[in-house]
Amino acid sequence: MASSDSAADRVDVAVVGAGLAGLTIALRLAEAGLTVRVVERYPRPGGLARVLEIGGEPIEAFYHHLFTTDSSYIALAAELGLEREIEWLPSRMGIWTDGRLWDFGTPQSLLRFRPLRWPDKLRFAVSTLLLQRRADPAPFENVTAAAWIRRHQGERVWQRVWGPLLYQKFADEAEHVAMVWLWGKLRLRGASRSRSGLGERLGYMRGSFARLVEALERRLDTLGVPLQLAEAATRVEREGDGFRVRTRTRAYAADRVVAATPVGDYLEVAGHLLEPPEAAALGALRATGALCTVLELEHSLTPYYWLNIADPAMPFGGLIEHTNYIPRERYGGRRVLYISNYLFPEHPLFRAPKREVLAAYLPALRRVNPAFDESWILASHHFRAESAQPVVTTGYRQRIPAQRAGVPGLYLCTMAQIFPEDRGQNYAIAYGERTARTVLEDCGIR
Ligand SMILES: Cc1cc2nc3c(=O)[nH]c(=O)nc-3n(C[C@H](O)[C@H](O)[C@H](O)COP(=O)(O)OP(=O)(O)OC[C@H]3O[C@@H](n4cnc5c(N)ncnc54)[C@H](O)[C@@H]3O)c2cc1C
């Protein structure tokens, strides 16, 4: 039976979820003088940016880096005294196709990329450059990436470059993804490159991105915001003009509730409060899940940080060798390889135990590097996230979930609202700030 806190424990706002969005919301509301409480399902905050340790050093469970355009992240890092801890380092990108590795992502590498013929290369290069210069997303919102690329860059470019990339992120929804998603990615990438003036440089926090999460935790502590960890909200109920947030063992009273969670979790705990059309519209949104296997290796698998796998016969979509970007000495000399696979949670591999997933992956790793041997694996870790990448289809703007729910005092801040940009730590913070402003406005605080 859930026991209730005393009346004095009632807070102005309960935030469900201690990912970057939830922590940012809690910070801004507490700074404005509201009483706030955060409940989080996991024993640690950080959500998708959570970490494990390798060689005594924290490292993300899911690979992470920043682009120079991630201004909200950089601003918050500066506010928390961490801006100088972000290192901007060169990275090397490759693609696996036609049974071999190719450099990718630079003009020189395109010249040498034989899977495309010369006319394809020219169309690809010119059209991608033009795309990066287009500032208005509107022309790309109601056309699929598949249709747009086939028309402007040709079937071969779709088959060899973009199609595999979209299949790796969106599985069987790839053909339905709107061009605006790809436009957003390319535009940011282009801007990130030109802003650094140094070619492709990606940002990483010395000591991992957990440092920003920890700094937020400390700041919340000084503001008197309790973080209830390992305590999933099980149900949000209406109580008078306010709410009661139930967990398995307790209940908290709050005048307002902000869910800073994936849409599915929000519907589970608060869906019963919504009008059926609102709940149905949210329920129709889809997201792929992420399956991420982290290998600690004795030797390097490839020379690349980021390797896209453009081959449907391979059982994963990307190989991210973190220690080709960040020095391996930080991880006790071990090489760290992420095997990335975006799948819908219904896929049989999604819930398979680690040993089965590894058994499916090892022969493919040997294809990428024939010298690879299982004995290279010093340790392995396996992570899954049910909701990792919202599927942005045509006409998505009309389906973006509202911040204010139909029920007064209930709010949602979630990855599925991020548009036309793609999800990322930067936007979790930016949209968290935005949600906090909405709550403050409703409280009459400016
Ligand atoms: C494979 C992968 C690679 C990525 N790479 C990058 C990258 O390179 N760069 C980058 O910037 N971003 C990257 N991201 C994205 C980035 O991690 C996310 O966009 C960001 O962390 C999302 O923050 P959030 O707070 O919106 O959501 P989340 O991190 O999902 O946080 C939601 C929180 O809510 C909690 N929760 C859910 N339900 C309940 C409940 N009922 N009760 C209590 N708590 C609940 C969850 O446990 C979680 O902690 C990557 C993500 C993945 C999956």
Side-chain angles (χ1 to χ4, degrees):
M1 186 64 187
S3 73
S4 176
D5 279 7
S6 69
D9 243 354
R10 184 183 188 93
V11 288
D12 294 321
V13 185
V15 176
V16 180
L20 282 168
L23 294 173
T24 305
I25 294 165
L27 173 71
R28 297 307 182 215
L29 297 183
E31 282 174 341
L34 297 183
T35 55
V36 182
R37 177 188 300 280
V38 183
V39 294
E40 165 56 48
R41 163 185 296 155
Y42 285 120
R44 296 288 312 135
L48 292 174
R50 63 185 176 273
V51 293
L52 70 151
E53 271 194 13
I54 295 183
E57 177 81 357
I59 181 170
E60 292 67 31
F62 302 97
Y63 45 92
H64 273 69
H65 57 246
L66 296 176
F67 294 110
T68 53
T69 43
D70 284 341
S71 51
S72 298
Y73 191 99
I74 295 166
L76 184 58
E79 191 181 322
L80 297 169
L82 288 170
E83 193 187 11
R84 282 163 188 250
E85 300 302 307
I86 303 173
E87 302 173 279
W88 295 98
L89 303 170
S91 67
R92 188 169 168 196
M93 188 176 161
I95 189 165
W96 165 271
T97 186
D98 286 359
R100 57 160 281 192
L101 296 167
W102 306 84
D103 265 352
F104 206 72
T106 62
Q108 301 86 324
S109 62
L110 182 62
L111 296 178
R112 289 192 290 267
F113 187 62
R114 285 205 302 272
L116 292 184
R117 295 169 305 204
W118 286 105
D120 302 323
K121 290 184 195 187
L122 196 66
R123 280 178 88 184
F124 169 77
V126 172
S127 151
T128 303
L129 273 179
L130 289 176
L131 258 181
Q132 287 176 329
R133 283 174 194 181
R134 299 279 293 272
D136 179 13
F140 307 111
E141 291 184 20
N142 294 313
V143 56
T144 63
W148 196 97
I149 293 289
R150 284 184 168 117
R151 175 142 177 246
H152 294 271
Q153 301 192 350
E155 178 67 27
R156 212 172 157 81
V157 174
W158 170 254
Q159 292 294 341
R160 290 318 185 85
V161 182
W162 302 123
L165 193 130
L166 267 82
Y167 272 94
Q168 103 91 348
K169 270 273 162 97
F170 299 103
D172 54 11
E173 285 281 1
E175 297 269 344
H176 303 131
V177 170
M179 184 59 197
V180 70
W181 182 85
L182 191 54
W183 166 85
K185 282 256 163 214
L186 290 171
R187 191 169 157 73
L188 270 186
R189 206 75 189 242
S192 183
R193 252 177 219 176
S194 48
R195 196 178 287 193
S196 75
L198 297 162
E200 176 94 305
R201 291 216 169 209
L202 301 175
Y204 191 72
M205 180 81 76
R206 223 175 263 112
S208 92
F209 289 109
R211 290 190 61 196
L212 186 104
V213 173
E214 287 158 9
L216 281 168
E217 245 185 305
R218 282 195 297 276
R219 186 64 69 88
L220 288 173
D221 190 48
T222 54
L223 288 165
V225 177
L227 226 64
Q228 314 285 335
L229 299 171
E231 197 158 346
T234 50
R235 199 169 165 86
V236 176
E237 291 165 358
R238 212 60 175 122
E239 190 180 70
D241 285 344
F243 298 89
R244 183 155 290 270
V245 177
R246 291 192 182 278
T247 69
R248 209 165 41 79
T249 54
R250 312 196 55 172
Y252 303 108
D255 292 341
R256 295 168 197 274
V257 174
V258 183
T261 68
V263 170
D265 295 301
Y266 170 61
L267 285 174
E268 234 167 70
V269 299
H272 63 105
L273 295 174
L274 307 178
E275 291 296 326
E278 188 179 355
L282 287 168
L285 299 173
R286 295 195 81 193
T288 41
L291 196 62
C292 192
T293 309
V294 189
L295 300 184
E296 298 180 30
L297 297 176
E298 197 165 353
H299 307 287
S300 172
L301 189 80
T302 80
Y304 301 101
Y305 164 57
W306 193 276
L307 183 67
N308 282 323
I309 305 291
D311 178 348
M314 298 286 264
F316 43 74
L319 293 173
I320 294 94
E321 198 165 327
H322 180 81
T323 42
N324 285 340
Y325 166 50
I326 302 299
R328 69 176 190 277
E329 288 68 29
R330 294 188 195 171
Y331 309 97
R334 295 181 168 209
R335 312 275 183 167
V336 181
L337 176 74
Y338 292 95
I339 307 177
S340 165
N341 209 351
Y342 285 89
L343 301 166
F344 285 104
E346 303 79 65
H347 192 287
L349 205 59
F350 194 76
R351 300 206 190 280
K354 182 174 81 174
R355 100 191 108 72
E356 267 177 44
V357 176
L358 274 177
Y361 287 173
L362 294 185
L365 294 180
R366 252 187 306 275
R367 281 190 69 200
V368 172
N369 180 349
F372 170 79
D373 187 81
E374 202 174 335
S375 64
W376 289 14
I377 305 176
L378 305 169
S380 61
H381 317 268
H382 194 56
F383 300 95
R384 55 174 87 81
E386 298 254 341
S387 182
Q389 174 67 58
V391 179
V392 175
T393 46
T394 51
Y396 192 80
R397 193 182 283 278
Q398 282 72 47
R399 296 192 293 283
I400 297 173
Q403 269 183 1
R404 291 185 181 94
V407 186
L410 180 64
Y411 305 82
L412 173 65
C413 179
T414 189
M415 272 194 284
Q417 290 164 332
I418 299 168
F419 184 87
E421 307 89 356
D422 191 24
R423 59 92 171 116
Q425 298 180 96
N426 182 62
Y427 300 100
I429 291 168
Y431 281 62
E433 305 263 15
R434 205 183 277 188
T435 307
R437 281 197 297 275
T438 303
V439 175
L440 291 175
E441 199 180 299
D442 291 354
C443 294
I445 304 172
R446 304 232 161 222

